[in-house]
Amino acid sequence: MKHACDKDSSVQEPATKRIKMTHNQDYGVASSTTESQMESFNEESPDMFAEYDDFVPDPHSGDAGVSRGLTIQELPRTDISVGSQYPPLQLTSHRPKSPENGATSPLLPSHTVLVDLNSLRENRVPSPYPKERVDKWDASHVRLPWSSSSRYPVTIGNREQLFQRWDVITEALSPLKSLDWTLDSKVLAIKIKDAIMKYNKRYVDEFSWRFVMLIEFLEDLEDDTEKQAFYTRILPGMVELCLQGPKAITGALPLLVADKSASITLSQHQISVLLANAFFCTFPRRNSTNKRDFEYKFYPDINFNRMLSNNSRRAEAQLEKIKTILAYFRRVIESPPTGLVTFTRQTVPESEFIDWSKDTTPIPDNFVRLSSAGVIETEGKGMLQVDFANKKIGGGVLGLGLVQEEIRFTICPELIISRLFTEKLMANEVVFMHGAEQYSRHTGYGDTYRFDGMHTDTVPRDMHMRRNTTILAMDAVSFSRDKEVQYEAKFIERELNKAYIGFRPLNPNLKRINAVATGNWGCGAFGGDPQLKFLIQLLAGIVTDRKVCYFTFGEEGLVTQGWKAYQSFIENELNVSDVYNLIIRFKDREDPKQTLFEFLEEKISGNESQNGGDTSRYDVDTDEEEEKTADHTKKSANQNMAGNEESKKSANAWSTNAAPECSKQTSLAGDKSEQVKESGEVRVKVEDDVEAVSRMEEGRAQIKREDLDTKIKKEDLDIKIKTEDPDIKIKQEDLNTKVKTEDLDIKIKQEDLDIKIKTEDISKTIKQEDTSTTSNLTNGAKIVGESKNGAKIGSQQNSGDETKQNGGKSGGDTVKNGANPLLADDNGKKAAQTKITDFFKK
């Protein structure tokens, strides 16, 4: 299987040509085909009657493409680095009270196993369970054509009589086992059609029951070897499989209904019997899909009549699909499979959903692989493999569909039988299919689909003879009518919850879980944004601790841009809620042409620009940011005076732990200070006779007034004054720096703490006495104020400080309510103007 794209059209390929695809329905199909591509497509495709080992490797199969992150070898994979993932069956409960239920699993409730587990052997078809046939004909079970309650009207003479449907089917199909293959191909094809219509007479005039594609396919069997093989081996074998129904499936087959977790385990042989019945369209009550009171209106169709009849478009690709299905029947007829397959409907109540806006799981490093080359079913071997499903599982596999889900069901036909019993998926449900085998290879998508020969599946089996391949069917919402609504929070949460349900392990006892192999889920005709779907599946993987292997199917830009986004999350120490809260703001972007990754780049780099771009980038918030964080109810006690328009006239600002109701007013005056010239900045030490005393204590700035004398300890305070006003003159003489300010009027007003400092006509002479003495800040966070004449005063405080007013944190910690400072309002851009490196362009 090769979905990757050919970049070098000059490379010559003998029989198989890689075709560059553009995205169409749900994951990537060719929307246009070049002349040379169509030439390649029209070449004779591999013979479905050829031997299995005739495969010639594609010379492009080793193309590396563009990839970022973990290597395939570093990802957890079943049978390679982790053990079997699917819950085992419980042999001790193989004798249930209800005879139709078979074995059970303690981890899979309502598990129906229609196989005798004691009969499992290598190279031996297992026996059905129970031994005596159980016949159920009700709304909770599949209405099987061999049920004694299934009747069909037959006209005898002028009278219409009801006969056992199975008797009618047996009589109609049995002659097909001995057709004379030397007859005209069209005559033989019509005989098959007429046999099927004998028990489907009411549809004789309907378009979807003309079987024109089957007739055309059989007419193309002009080679005598192919024709003889089909009519003497394959067709008789298919009829024989079909008529084994009552012996192969002895138990009642339940429906996997909505809003109920349940599982069904069948043998591969039982599935081949059911699929043969589907090919010959024997299942009753599954055809009147247009009736309002149709019993199975919430189920996909199962009879093959549409696939064998519809040629309204992509006729050649449809013929290739039929060839792929017939190649499967050839395999199971010649070499009956001996394993089991389990189908599990997983329903999760809303009470178990994640609160994405509050989840604090950090974005981990070494968690994702992005690759433009490779495909889910090949490079994703050993991983949980995502089927980009329709809510009616299988999508258009029995119609004209030939994209991701339909192709996977075509090359692994055992998956098709899930359509027999799986009701339409609800928003809180997914389906797991464990043990299905791959029988064919293919090239192309949609109109360019080609059968590419037989495939021998070498995936190891688990203890219950199931291939260790687990396919996750999860349906996305279609946004084809209005792509913009996918960015609304309710739809983002819907997709997040769907992925979360699918990614969380069925077996909670596992110590290590395998990675998930996925890609552009719900994109193409569904209108999904690949950038959004990457982020959604990344977050779902993180909260379930399941690493993500993301295939972009040739989109190299998505690899590089997605990797930059992921790296920026890590470098900024974001968590799940941070990313989610950024994503849901995208719908309100100003530029409608802006992409999601560009929006995230702007918000993340823009916030870092506000905050200085270093380890203390979260220390400073503007008033407006803090008011939004506190729901506009309180002003921050840790107010940042730098960059705030209303506080540019301040000469000093200190954050305290005082609440608004405890506002203080403090007067500060001083007459002595010492100054040291260092690196162009003047450092001031204020002596004991200054009336205001500021003390740093466990990261909280506190102001204490003692007998109207305020003291500032030099150990706790580092005040930097940057001289910008021409009225301040600095003269250095013999290492003594004198600063004289004349008639300097400094007014400091701090609104939140009601601290007013006013000094009038202060004339200071600052003399440096000891150049080795500098005061030092306790823990490194800056609070900057700006005086009327332009002087800046900076203080350092503990980076872990937490204010009581709004629950905010300084020093790079996220705020108390779980939101990251990166999520502050855009008005935060008014903060410090220092630019930092664009994390998306590193």
Side-chain angles (χ1 to χ4, degrees):
M1 242 65 30
K2 303 166 192 76
H3 297 185
C5 303
D6 180 14
K7 298 182 192 175
D8 186 359
S9 60
S10 65
V11 177
Q12 299 298 317
E13 299 180 27
T16 309
K17 185 161 184 174
R18 298 286 290 279
I19 300 173
K20 185 176 178 68
M21 300 297 156
T22 57
H23 285 286
N24 198 355
Q25 178 183 349
D26 247 87
Y27 127 17
V29 308
S31 60
S32 61
T33 313
T34 66
E35 184 176 350
S36 63
Q37 290 167 349
M38 282 308 301
E39 257 179 21
S40 173
F41 177 80
N42 290 327
E43 292 175 358
E44 185 71 21
S45 63
D47 184 0
M48 71 176 181
F49 305 101
E51 295 304 318
Y52 303 153
D53 58 355
D54 65 346
F55 176 58
V56 177
D58 190 321
H60 290 275
S61 61
D63 287 352
V66 175
S67 62
R68 297 289 187 274
L70 298 172
T71 65
I72 290 289
Q73 291 72 27
E74 291 175 313
L75 291 164
R77 292 170 292 164
T78 304
D79 295 323
I80 299 173
S81 54
V82 297
S84 295
Q85 302 283 294
Y86 219 76
L89 303 176
Q90 192 174 24
L91 286 168
T92 55
S93 62
H94 193 54
R95 301 298 176 191
K97 294 180 180 179
S98 296
E100 72 271 14
N101 283 334
T104 62
S105 167
L107 300 174
L108 296 177
S110 303
H111 193 171
T112 299
V113 180
L114 297 181
V115 182
D116 183 354
L117 297 181
N118 294 315
S119 68
L120 292 180
R121 301 287 188 279
E122 284 283 353
N123 303 317
R124 172 180 164 183
V125 174
S127 303
Y129 184 87
K131 289 184 178 181
E132 301 296 328
R133 190 157 67 93
V134 176
D135 190 353
K136 294 274 187 175
W137 186 262
D138 56 39
S140 299
H141 295 81
V142 174
R143 298 187 188 273
L144 295 170
W146 49 83
S147 170
S148 59
S149 299
S150 182
R151 305 294 183 91
Y152 190 80
V154 177
T155 302
I156 300 178
N158 295 326
R159 294 184 57 188
E160 189 176 83
Q161 300 180 28
L162 290 177
F163 284 81
Q164 292 289 328
R165 183 181 181 91
W166 193 245
D167 291 340
V168 178
I169 291 171
T170 301
E171 184 179 345
L173 296 181
S174 293
L176 299 181
K177 293 191 289 184
S178 56
L179 291 176
D180 182 357
W181 70 271
T182 63
L183 295 175
D184 180 75
S185 294
K186 188 170 184 178
V187 172
L188 292 171
I190 292 176
K191 286 183 177 291
I192 297 174
K193 171 193 173 184
D194 291 343
I196 295 173
M197 296 309 297
K198 285 183 179 179
Y199 45 87
N200 290 291
K201 290 182 179 180
R202 69 173 66 181
Y203 311 113
V204 68
D205 295 324
E206 293 192 13
F207 175 83
S208 59
W209 288 84
R210 298 180 304 160
F211 292 95
V212 292
M213 294 305 297
L214 176 62
I215 294 172
E216 183 176 347
F217 176 83
L218 296 177
E219 281 188 291
D220 287 342
L221 297 179
E222 295 300 335
D223 182 270
D224 285 348
T225 302
E226 290 185 356
K227 186 178 177 182
Q228 183 179 8
F230 179 77
Y231 286 105
T232 62
R233 289 158 44 198
I234 296 180
L235 181 61
M238 292 173 64
V239 173
E240 185 63 32
L241 275 177
C242 175
L243 299 182
Q244 286 182 28
K247 295 180 179 179
I249 295 93
T250 55
L253 185 56
L255 297 170
L256 297 181
V257 298
D259 284 331
K260 180 182 178 181
S261 294
S263 298
I264 296 171
T265 293
L266 298 164
S267 72
Q268 290 179 286
H269 174 67
Q270 289 174 321
I271 292 174
S272 68
V273 169
L274 292 169
L275 286 176
N277 274 269
F279 184 92
F280 291 113
C281 307
T282 69
F283 289 105
R285 301 196 182 185
R286 301 300 291 262
N287 304 315
S288 303
T289 55
N290 295 326
K291 290 186 177 181
R292 290 185 178 180
D293 58 347
F294 180 45
E295 180 179 0
Y296 291 95
K297 63 183 177 181
F298 296 120
Y299 289 78
D301 58 352
I302 184 59
N303 291 324
F304 278 33
N305 57 288
R306 282 198 305 130
M307 183 179 70
L308 300 176
S309 300
N310 199 334
N311 65 344
S312 59
R313 64 187 178 97
R314 63 173 56 139
E316 292 188 75
Q318 197 73 355
L319 290 174
E320 293 291 317
K321 182 195 289 187
I322 294 173
K323 182 187 290 187
T324 310
I325 295 296
L326 291 177
Y328 158 76
F329 281 116
R330 178 215 168 180
R331 171 73 69 81
V332 299
I333 290 167
E334 295 180 350
S335 179
T338 59
L340 307 183
V341 182
T342 297
F343 303 86
T344 298
R345 188 186 191 107
Q346 171 90 325
T347 301
V348 175
E350 291 187 11
S351 60
E352 296 182 22
F353 285 0
I354 298 291
D355 187 343
W356 301 97
S357 65
K358 296 180 180 179
D359 190 276
T360 57
T361 306
I363 307 297
D365 198 0
N366 298 320
F367 195 81
V368 66
R369 171 181 172 82
L370 282 151
S371 179
S372 64
V375 292
I376 290 172
E377 62 267 28
T378 305
E379 281 71 18
K381 179 180 178 181
M383 305 179 199
L384 176 63
Q385 301 176 1
V386 176
D387 159 30
F388 307 155
N390 189 288
K391 58 186 175 182
K392 288 186 177 180
I393 196 166
V397 63
L398 297 184
L400 294 174
L402 269 171
V403 287
Q404 198 257 10
E405 180 174 44
E406 291 89 352
I407 289 175
R408 190 66 191 271
F409 276 53
T410 300
I411 62 177
C412 305
E414 289 161 346
L415 302 176
I416 295 176
I417 208 59
S418 63
R419 297 169 64 87
L420 177 63
F421 43 73
T422 306
E423 191 174 6
K424 179 175 69 175
L425 293 175
M426 308 302 286
N428 63 331
E429 296 177 314
V430 296
V431 169
F432 297 95
M433 296 168 282
H434 178 67
E437 193 165 326
Q438 181 179 336
Y439 292 87
S440 303
R441 297 185 301 271
H442 85 284
T443 60
Y445 303 97
D447 294 344
T448 61
Y449 174 87
R450 292 183 76 214
F451 171 69
D452 195 32
M454 304 296 291
H455 174 79
T456 301
D457 199 325
T458 59
V459 173
R461 298 183 186 272
D462 66 12
M463 63 183 295
H464 296 301
M465 299 292 291
R466 299 175 295 189
R467 295 280 181 194
N468 260 326
T469 298
T470 304
I471 298 169
L472 161 64
M474 62 181 196
D475 60 301
V477 176
S478 176
F479 301 106
S480 57
R481 294 184 178 180
D482 186 357
K483 295 182 180 180
E484 195 61 27
V485 300
Q486 66 185 296
Y487 305 114
E488 295 181 7
K490 64 179 180 180
F491 289 112
I492 292 173
E493 288 188 11
R494 189 273 183 192
E495 304 292 71
L496 279 166
N497 290 330
K498 177 71 73 168
Y500 164 72
I501 295 167
F503 291 2
R504 75 179 201 171
L506 279 172
N507 187 347
N509 298 327
L510 295 174
K511 294 182 179 179
R512 292 190 66 201
I513 60 176
N514 57 351
V516 59
T518 186
N520 298 335
W521 168 53
C523 302
F526 273 21
D529 179 356
Q531 296 184 5
L532 176 60
K533 288 301 169 64
F534 164 66
L535 296 177
I536 283 174
Q537 293 178 91
L538 173 64
L539 296 184
I542 290 170
V543 299
T544 57
D545 198 27
R546 191 185 291 277
K547 293 185 177 181
V548 177
C549 184
Y550 196 96
F551 298 100
T552 67
F553 310 109
E555 291 191 19
E556 296 182 354
L558 183 57
V559 173
T560 56
Q561 295 168 20
W563 180 251
K564 288 179 182 178
Y566 170 63
Q567 287 298 298
S568 73
F569 300 158
I570 297 171
E571 292 173 9
N572 287 276
E573 300 179 358
L574 302 189
N575 59 36
V576 168
S577 64
D578 296 334
V579 177
Y580 168 80
N581 288 320
L582 279 171
I583 292 173
I584 62 175
R585 291 171 56 191
F586 178 64
K587 65 181 178 62
D588 297 323
R589 64 195 182 282
E590 295 180 0
D591 182 2
K593 295 182 180 180
Q594 189 178 39
T595 68
L596 179 56
F597 286 160
E598 290 171 346
F599 176 83
L600 296 176
E601 174 186 353
E602 175 186 290
K603 297 306 172 189
I604 294 175
S605 63
N607 182 83
E608 290 179 347
S609 177
Q610 298 168 29
N611 294 305
D614 56 17
T615 56
S616 61
R617 60 187 177 274
Y618 303 145
D619 295 348
V620 182
D621 292 319
T622 66
D623 289 341
E624 293 176 359
E625 288 172 329
E626 291 180 340
E627 287 171 0
K628 283 186 176 292
T629 303
D631 295 326
H632 304 283
T633 58
K634 297 180 181 180
K635 289 186 178 180
S636 172
N638 187 24
Q639 187 176 19
N640 171 15
M641 309 305 292
N644 189 315
E645 295 295 337
E646 298 180 359
S647 59
K648 284 185 178 179
K649 297 181 180 180
S650 299
N652 194 8
W654 298 327
S655 293
T656 75
N657 62 348
E661 62 268 19
C662 301
S663 297
K664 299 178 180 180
Q665 184 172 2
T666 306
S667 296
L668 301 178
D671 56 8
K672 286 187 178 181
S673 62
E674 289 185 11
Q675 175 183 349
V676 177
K677 176 78 179 297
E678 179 177 309
S679 300
E681 294 182 342
V682 181
R683 302 196 173 195
V684 179
K685 183 183 72 173
V686 183
E687 296 291 352
D688 292 345
D689 53 349
V690 179
E691 292 184 3
V693 175
S694 173
R695 217 159 29 117
M696 303 294 291
E697 187 173 316
E698 295 180 354
R700 299 175 183 266
Q702 297 185 1
I703 298 176
K704 184 176 181 182
R705 190 163 184 177
E706 300 176 357
D707 300 325
L708 297 179
D709 290 328
T710 305
K711 299 180 180 180
I712 302 178
K713 287 187 176 182
K714 75 174 183 178
E715 292 84 3
D716 295 326
L717 181 61
D718 190 359
I719 302 179
K720 298 180 180 180
I721 298 179
K722 183 176 180 181
T723 60
E724 298 176 357
D725 195 289
D727 288 342
I728 299 179
K729 300 178 180 179
I730 303 176
K731 184 177 181 182
Q732 181 174 347
E733 296 178 1
D734 301 325
L735 297 179
N736 291 328
T737 303
K738 297 182 179 181
V739 178
K740 183 177 181 181
T741 60
E742 298 180 1
D743 299 324
L744 177 64
D745 215 2
I746 299 176
K747 297 181 180 181
I748 300 176
K749 182 178 180 181
Q750 182 167 335
E751 296 178 357
D752 289 354
L753 300 178
D754 294 326
I755 299 176
K756 298 182 179 178
I757 304 174
K758 182 176 181 182
T759 63
E760 297 180 355
D761 300 322
I762 301 176
S763 181
K764 296 181 179 180
T765 300
I766 304 174
K767 183 178 181 181
Q768 175 179 336
E769 294 179 357
D770 188 354
T771 60
S772 65
T773 303
T774 59
S775 52
N776 196 13
L777 176 67
T778 304
N779 279 320
K782 291 183 180 180
I783 300 177
V784 181
E786 189 168 339
S787 67
K788 182 176 181 180
N789 66 346
K792 292 184 178 179
I793 302 174
S795 67
Q796 302 284 341
Q797 75 175 40
N798 190 308
S799 63
D801 289 356
E802 181 176 0
T803 63
K804 293 183 178 180
Q805 277 186 297
N806 65 350
K809 289 185 178 181
S810 62
D813 290 344
T814 54
V815 293
K816 196 169 185 178
N817 64 1
N820 192 290
L822 286 174
L823 308 181
D825 189 79
D826 293 345
N827 291 329
K829 293 180 180 178
K830 296 179 182 179
Q833 300 301 312
T834 304
K835 294 184 178 180
I836 67 159
T837 302
D838 184 348
F839 277 80
F840 281 86
K841 298 181 180 177
K842 276 189 177 179

